[in-house]
Amino acid sequence: MISKAFVVLTTLLFSFNVLSTSFAFPNDPEFLKRQEIESTSSRTGGGFGAVNPPPPPGPPRFTGTKLVHDRAHPWKPLRNGDERGPCPGMNTLASHGYISRDGVASPSQMVTAVQEGFNMENQFAIFVTYLAHLMNGNLVTDLLSIGGKTRKTGPDPPSPAHAGGFNVHGTFEGDGGMTRADAFFGDNHSFNETLFQKFVDFSNQYGDGYYNLTVAGELRFQRLQDSIATNPQFSFKNVRYFTGPPKPSSNEGIAEIFSMHPLLPGGNADGKVNNFMVDPASADFTKPCVLYEDIVKTIQGLYPSPTGVLKRNLIKNLGFLHSSLSAALGAQCDQLFPYGQL
């Protein structure tokens, strides 16, 4: 039985990877003014200091709806050096100034932005943002790229960590996306017109020109089958397993989408196409805490022996992540302390 809260998580995670919405929370003028200043002046001097990460922001004061594309958030074209990546939603937030237009921001800024821009619930916003930051951000400078690796996030962390941004394959970004090709084919972050036309075709075929639950279920299944048939390295498990329902941020109908074409977590084995094998060790909807355990294990692999500021920031960011688990996963998962406690 899939819990309602856990179903909502899959929806909100996919809103990072697929679609943006048209209405959102009203904005905070001071916050927006500060963002625009950061867009033009931050990181231009080349100096980076260690940051003690603040707690994630709380929910907005007002939860009504408004048009996202307003006078305070005009679309602006990309400038040389601006980062964009595999997530259309975050690309949209940057191009409209909800986060710094250069595509680099702190996780707390991103949480505020997805709440303001996408109506995302606070605890879910914290979970998905700090998950991405822990895996792909610079934990010393508290900056994360929504695209590829960039000097704008600061000096490189110790290997094997990478601070490579959203474009890094196999952590937050994954195979079988609606409008991006699999990493195996060389570009997992650029908009793919062919895949978008498939989205349009499925909306016409199954939704009479509209995007509905039937379209979502059929398109999800088709994209997974495409990857199984063409990508010998196809992987659909752990984090990615929970981010593959093609549905914007709403909790309605996700169980129906999954039930149309159920698929257990796994991937193509032995480097061969059409060789999908179920991975019984992967997290699935019956084992939500396994996902949390896998995330912590992955982070330990990236940061095996942190010290000083890096260790402190790892402890704090892991704490922020765990604080959102109860609401995000719909399960009580024991907190893990791989680096001790502050």
Side-chain angles (χ1 to χ4, degrees):
M1 183 70 178
I2 303 174
S3 71
K4 181 177 180 180
F6 197 49
V7 161
V8 176
L9 168 65
T10 65
T11 301
L12 296 177
L13 280 167
F14 203 82
S15 72
F16 265 106
N17 294 291
V18 180
L19 299 173
S20 60
T21 54
S22 298
F23 293 90
F25 296 124
N27 36 51
D28 178 339
E30 289 303 315
F31 170 76
L32 297 172
K33 184 185 299 183
R34 187 169 67 253
Q35 282 184 322
E36 290 298 327
I37 293 172
E38 289 174 351
S39 293
T40 57
S41 65
S42 68
R43 300 177 291 277
T44 57
F48 293 88
V51 173
N52 189 354
R61 293 187 297 270
F62 180 75
T63 57
T65 57
K66 67 171 289 291
L67 189 66
V68 170
H69 181 54
D70 58 18
R71 288 191 302 172
H73 300 94
W75 178 87
K76 293 184 180 180
L78 270 66
R79 305 158 301 187
N80 290 336
D82 285 352
E83 292 293 330
R84 298 295 185 269
C87 173
M90 294 306 299
N91 293 343
T92 299
L93 291 174
S95 293
H96 284 266
Y98 279 92
I99 62 171
S100 175
R101 292 181 185 271
D102 65 4
V104 173
S106 71
S108 58
Q109 290 168 340
M110 290 187 181
V111 169
T112 298
V114 295
Q115 292 181 141
E116 294 282 347
F118 294 148
N119 240 356
M120 192 174 284
E121 194 276 333
N122 177 251
Q123 292 299 303
F124 296 118
I126 292 171
F127 182 83
V128 296
T129 303
Y130 283 86
L131 167 61
H133 185 51
L134 279 159
M135 291 187 170
N136 300 315
N138 189 316
L139 301 183
V140 173
T141 62
D142 201 38
L143 293 172
L144 171 63
S145 166
I146 67 170
K149 186 176 180 62
T150 171
R151 289 179 295 179
K152 294 179 182 179
T153 62
D156 285 347
S159 181
H162 45 72
F166 278 21
N167 287 2
V168 175
H169 179 66
T171 53
F172 197 74
E173 177 278 334
D175 295 329
M178 273 178 55
T179 61
R180 267 65 176 173
D182 292 356
F184 174 78
F185 300 107
D187 185 352
N188 66 343
H189 55 275
S190 298
F191 177 78
N192 188 303
E193 181 68 31
T194 300
L195 293 180
F196 179 74
Q197 285 304 317
K198 177 172 286 191
F199 163 77
V200 173
D201 292 342
F202 270 64
S203 296
N204 290 330
Q205 180 178 355
Y206 295 102
D208 195 25
Y210 293 91
Y211 185 68
N212 57 26
L213 294 180
T214 302
V215 177
E218 295 298 334
L219 182 58
R220 171 182 182 266
F221 177 70
Q222 184 60 56
R223 285 295 297 124
L224 295 176
Q225 294 305 306
D226 289 344
S227 289
I228 290 172
T230 61
N231 179 359
Q233 298 176 6
F234 172 68
S235 178
F236 190 63
K237 55 187 178 181
N238 292 319
V239 172
R240 182 55 180 165
Y241 186 72
F242 297 98
T243 62
K247 180 79 163 60
S249 52
S250 165
N251 64 352
E252 181 182 357
I254 298 299
E256 289 88 339
I257 292 174
F258 283 122
S259 65
M260 289 180 198
H261 300 282
L263 182 69
L264 293 173
N268 277 337
D270 303 323
K272 299 177 181 179
V273 297
N274 291 316
N275 195 31
F276 185 85
M277 302 290 290
V278 172
D279 183 354
S282 171
D284 62 28
F285 295 116
T286 67
K287 300 178 292 185
C289 290
V290 174
L291 173 63
Y292 169 60
E293 294 165 3
D294 180 75
I295 292 168
V296 174
K297 182 179 178 180
T298 299
I299 293 165
Q300 283 184 278
L302 292 172
Y303 299 96
S305 303
T307 59
V309 169
L310 177 59
K311 181 178 179 179
R312 178 200 67 192
N313 288 4
L314 274 164
I315 294 172
K316 293 190 71 172
N317 280 286
L318 282 168
F320 300 152
L321 180 76
H322 185 267
S323 70
S324 66
L325 281 179
S326 178
L329 297 185
Q332 297 294 329
C333 304
D334 292 337
Q335 186 170 2
L336 303 177
F337 299 98
Y339 305 113
Q341 302 182 54
L342 295 177

